[in-house]
């Protein structure tokens, strides 16, 4: 008696025990996305959300160096910027005035200056360096006395903020 295709060993959906379980044909399955597809989609969505957050942070409006200097100066004459003892002779210290990052320098004993800490090249925060002010982003370097550009891509000096020594403090003038 001939065997029908349904009962033929070649047409049987079950494989031999040595071959392991069979995997259904993906094209034949109409049950929706696989778990792998869902996980890939979830990962891609999470990446897109994280990327959007980074772009939003990059798009945040930063003040220009001139705006930051004006904002710091607006804190008013007599506002304490930093204790004079905290400013090394031949160096600088970072501080905040009116919510703005500033640098206070003391090139020689008793001579103090203050500048916006926003780099005139790309808006990074400039920091005290060894006998100069240094932008960590692109290595622009500025002088302690007048924030003149000593090197790097910065196109102009850091804007100055008028300060003076009052007692033991450096204050806005």
């Amino acid at each position: 008696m001939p065997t029908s295709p349904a009962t033929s060993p070649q047409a049987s959906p079950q494989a031999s025990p040595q071959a392991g379980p069979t995997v259904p044909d993906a094209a034949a399955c109409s049950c929706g996305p696989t778990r792998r597809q869902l996980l890939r989609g979830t990962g891609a969505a999470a990446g897109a959300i994280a990327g959007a957050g980074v772009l939003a942070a990059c798009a945040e409006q930063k003040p220009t160096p001139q705006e930051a200097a004006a904002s710091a100066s607006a804190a008013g004459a007599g506002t304490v910027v930093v204790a004079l003892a905290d400013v090394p002779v031949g160096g600088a210290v970072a501080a905040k005035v009116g919510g703005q990052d500033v640098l206070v320098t003391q090139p020689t004993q008793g001579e103090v200056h203050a500048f916006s800490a926003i780099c005139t090249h790309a808006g990074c925060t400039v920091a005290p360096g060894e006998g100069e002010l240094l932008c960590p982003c692109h290595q622009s370097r500025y002088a302690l006395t007048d924030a003149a550009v000593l090197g790097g891509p910065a196109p102009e000096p850091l804007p100055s903020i008028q300060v003076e020594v009052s007692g033991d403090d450096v204050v806005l003038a």
Side-chain angles (χ1 to χ4, degrees):
M1 170 173 218
T3 60
S4 70
T7 60
S8 166
Q10 291 82 13
S12 171
Q14 295 178 351
S16 67
Q18 291 86 10
T22 60
V23 177
D25 183 12
C29 181
S30 62
C31 55
T34 65
R35 182 171 53 190
R36 180 175 289 156
Q37 290 169 328
L38 286 174
L39 290 174
R40 283 184 185 159
T42 302
I49 290 169
V54 169
L55 288 175
C58 289
E60 178 183 324
Q61 293 296 319
K62 294 181 184 179
T64 66
Q66 295 77 12
E67 291 168 341
S71 178
S73 296
T79 300
V80 174
V81 179
V82 68
L84 180 61
D86 292 342
V87 186
V89 176
V93 66
K96 276 201 182 280
V97 179
Q100 300 299 321
D101 291 318
V102 300
L103 295 163
V104 179
T105 67
Q106 187 172 201
T108 61
Q109 183 71 40
E111 175 191 0
V112 294
H113 304 279
F115 308 99
S116 167
I118 298 177
C119 184
T120 58
H121 171 242
C124 297
T125 302
V126 178
E130 295 294 319
E132 63 188 10
L133 306 174
L134 178 65
C135 180
C137 295
H138 303 105
Q139 276 55 66
S140 288
R141 298 174 14 254
Y142 300 91
L144 294 176
T145 55
D146 59 1
V149 178
L150 300 174
E156 57 191 53
L158 297 173
S160 67
I161 300 166
Q162 296 303 310
V163 292
E164 61 188 9
V165 175
S166 177
D168 294 332
D169 295 319
V170 176
V171 299
L172 293 178

